[in-house]
Amino acid sequence: MENEDLKLEKQMAIEKEMQLNLEIEKLRDVVDQINREVLNYISKRKEMSDYIQDYRKNVLEEYRDDEDKVIEYFDHERFVKEEAFKTIDRRLKELTILATAPYFGRVDFRDEEFDDLGSIYVGRFGMTPEGEYEPVVIDWRAPVAALFYTSSLGQNSYTAPAGKVDVNILLKRQYIIKRAKLIGLFDSALDIRDDILQMVLSGNTSDKLRDIIMTIQEEQDNLIRQPKDKTIVVDGVAGSGKTTIALHRVAYLLYNHRDTLQDKVLILGPNSIFMEYIGTVLPSLGEVGVRQTTFRDFALDILEMNNIMSFKEYMERVLNNDKEFIDDILYKTSMDFLHEINSFVDRLDKEYFKINNVRFYDRTVINSEELKELFTNYYKDMPLFRRSKKIRRIVFSKLRDYRDEEVRRIQKEYNERIAKMTKSELEIYETSLNMKRKHDIREVIKEVMKAKKEMAWIQNPDCIDLYGEFNRSDEFTQDDLAPILYLKIKLEGLKIKEETKHVVIDEAQDYSPIQFLVIKELTRCSSMTIVGDSNQRLLPLEGKTPMLQLGEIVPTLSIEDFNLYKSYRSTKEIMEYANRYIGDSRIIPLVRSGEAVQEIIVNNEEQLVEKIDEALHNLKEKEYENIAVLCRDLEETERLGAKLKARDYVKVIDNEDIVYSGGIVVIPSYFAKGLEFDAVILLQHKDKEQESKLNYVMATRALHELKVFKI
């Protein structure tokens, strides 16, 4: 029996060795093909460059004296050059990336309908050699690549352009390839205990976002591949991959619908630090031209305002428990506020314009009843201030007709009198008659100006001033931006110039009902990806998180809600510790163990600085690349940051315009949202332990180690 086992073990070892050799040979062959394609594209680029230069020389020579022809040529040449070079450069970049790691997965399957065996290699980008039809590497966003992300072997299916395809998955294999060398391979069903996933998550933060495509889980892949005409709302726990799902869904949609979505995707994130942090993800997937901004900057660019309270001051007042300020936030982020502003718009519609007759001399140009009919019937579907502009133009046009009629009468009288005069009479009276004609015309113009002045009631006010009256305050915060935009949409018919076909909202748990409405109205999008964590809302709120009642707020959207309870970011120990703050039993930490969370009690600030300094040295020795000291507020950040700077090379992030580039940072809680660090030192105040969500957010920023200093 023992001999049989040894024989079986030997056969398996031989089989494994053979498979490894075959895969090494396959990799070598694919890399060679990719390198040939790289040379091919370099040659193409040179040919195109030479062609454009020669063509330019010839055109300039031929049309040197015809400026219009030269301008026309350069307009056309620039377009051709940009489009051609864009395509070639994009492909060269993709191929260069593929040359070092062509693929990360393989799927062998049998097509059930045709009983055909198929084998695909899945990579960051696809590659089909020129002149051939069979791809050597399949792009991870292609429909058939979905088979790689399913959780098991056996019967399965994928959705191709022609419809559903049933298959039997026979093998799934994952590869670790670096610098075009096969480091290792695993045959796997790709569940959350997968060796490669463990390996990637155990690494430092610098490579995590880039490597996500080889570790996407089935539930994440399902969200990424949702149809483009659907709005998905994802409520996911800290570390469940919400941001990476959102960004990879953008990459997936652009790959499959580039003709309609190219340059028409908008991503809204929580703050500038976060936007900078995720800024390299889409370019690493080959996607450029995606607008990425914060809602605050998005709104300010449209409104051209600059007197808005900074995000920093806003959060400081929240953390300082400014009761009046917090009550204002609670009101402006409620459905009641939305109803109130809608009532305000209705009142303006009915009462704002005090309609009067429009008169010219003793004649009525248009009476109040006719004007009321225009307002309430003919143009009732127009926003109020667009309506008033339209009606104003109509009235001015009528006034112009009356003016022209009167001027023609004056001119006619003048012409008739001149025609009846003799030559000698003309010499005597023509000048005075001409002066009278001019005087009478001036009087007509004065009368027109008087009529227009009396029409001051139809002048449109500034929506910002109107909102100031409604708000009963001229101090504006970020909560006032959406209401002002909403007023401009409802009253002016505000639209944005840029065409938008898909919107991504990250950290959406902090959005108010009116923000969601404004984004929908301005972009006119029917397709959105909305991700957040209801447990991480740091702003005051009464009732349900608006993100979770989007169907009631924007009923025109086709919405599907999803939950993610598996956390991949932090170790089991960190997630179990963080979960104590919110008591959400649905959170499932990934089975990745690490250091126990340390709680260290300190008696004074001098001791605190000493202990933090000691902890930082300890963490640096473990070769962690990104370490954060998370403070509750700005005052503590600046105070401790100054003391730590005297001992260590630390960067104090006290402004959202500072670029986060790794290393050791001292940062307030609200700037750390959405970020992740290899290790976190969390400062917790004994008298603030009731701030459960704040502590939860700060604790879940840590990947591998968390140290909690209790002050």
Side-chain angles (χ1 to χ4, degrees), residues 434-444 446:
N434 193 33
M435 285 180 65
K436 182 180 184 305
R437 178 183 69 86
K438 288 180 178 178
H439 173 268
D440 290 346
I441 289 172
R442 275 198 297 272
E443 288 300 309
V444 171
K446 277 184 188 176

Side-chain angles (χ1 to χ4, degrees), residues 344-595:
F344 178 61
V345 170
D346 289 341
R347 284 199 305 277
L348 289 172
D349 196 73
K350 290 169 187 163
E351 301 168 7
Y352 187 79
F353 292 113
K354 310 299 180 190
I355 298 172
N356 295 315
N357 295 337
V358 178
R359 298 183 63 77
F360 179 71
Y361 289 113
D362 57 348
R363 298 158 69 186
T364 299
V365 175
I366 185 166
N367 64 45
S368 59
E369 289 304 312
E370 289 175 293
L371 284 168
K372 190 175 274 189
E373 183 71 9
L374 290 173
F375 267 104
T376 59
N377 191 7
Y378 282 98
Y379 302 114
K380 65 178 180 182
D381 295 328
M382 274 188 182
L384 180 63
F385 293 164
R386 277 186 61 196
R387 209 184 317 165
S388 64
K389 279 185 175 179
K390 174 78 174 173
I391 293 166
R392 193 163 175 263
R393 283 197 300 270
I394 290 169
V395 175
F396 280 15
S397 176
K398 282 181 174 286
L399 273 171
R400 201 161 46 245
D401 291 343
Y402 275 76
R403 179 203 66 192
D404 292 348
E405 183 186 332
E406 192 63 22
V407 168
R408 282 195 298 272
R409 184 189 65 74
I410 293 166
Q411 185 67 42
K412 184 182 176 186
E413 282 183 3
Y414 170 78
N415 290 342
E416 285 174 351
R417 292 188 68 177
I418 291 292
K420 290 175 183 176
M421 287 184 179
T422 62
K423 191 173 181 182
S424 58
E425 287 175 328
L426 278 173
E427 287 175 1
I428 299 169
Y429 298 111
E430 186 181 16
T431 302
S432 60
L433 283 173
N434 193 33
M435 285 180 65
K436 182 180 184 305
R437 178 183 69 86
K438 288 180 178 178
H439 173 268
D440 290 346
I441 289 172
R442 275 198 297 272
E443 288 300 309
V444 171
I445 291 167
K446 277 184 188 176
E447 194 64 26
V448 171
M449 290 169 68
K450 179 186 169 188
K452 286 183 176 180
K453 192 175 180 182
E454 287 173 356
M455 279 183 66
W457 58 267
I458 205 170
Q459 295 288 348
N460 289 339
D462 188 303
C463 280
I464 296 174
D465 295 337
L466 263 183
Y467 179 75
E469 293 171 25
F470 171 78
N471 190 42
R472 295 182 291 279
S473 171
D474 55 4
E475 181 185 48
F476 295 135
T477 73
Q478 62 189 45
D479 296 320
D480 296 308
L481 293 173
I484 293 169
L485 285 171
Y486 189 71
L487 273 186
K488 289 180 84 69
I489 291 164
K490 290 294 181 184
L491 297 174
E492 297 176 356
L494 174 69
K495 294 175 183 174
I496 56 173
K497 293 174 187 173
E498 299 87 355
E499 189 180 5
T500 307
K501 295 285 189 181
H502 190 82
V503 174
V504 173
I505 303 175
D506 202 350
E507 300 289 337
Q509 74 276 353
D510 288 330
Y511 277 58
S512 66
I514 203 163
Q515 275 179 285
F516 287 120
L517 264 178
V518 160
I519 291 164
K520 172 69 176 82
E521 291 285 339
L522 284 178
T523 62
R524 301 178 295 286
C525 269
S526 57
S527 166
M528 297 190 193
T529 301
I530 296 169
V531 300
D533 179 3
S534 48
N535 287 324
Q536 290 190 63
R537 185 179 171 101
L538 296 184
L539 303 181
L541 177 72
E542 283 179 357
K544 200 175 179 183
T545 309
M547 174 184 89
L548 302 181
Q549 46 185 339
L550 194 64
E552 300 166 38
I553 299 166
V554 193
T556 54
L557 290 175
S558 172
I559 297 167
E560 188 167 355
D561 293 288
F562 297 89
N563 293 101
L564 294 173
Y565 298 121
K566 292 175 185 172
S567 178
Y568 300 96
R569 176 191 294 140
S570 309
T571 63
K572 185 171 181 283
E573 290 78 7
I574 292 170
M575 282 311 298
E576 286 176 348
Y577 179 86
N579 195 34
R580 284 163 32 187
Y581 292 119
I582 56 170
D584 191 339
S585 59
R586 298 170 300 173
I587 297 175
I588 306 165
L590 179 76
V591 185
R592 178 172 72 88
S593 288
E595 299 276 345

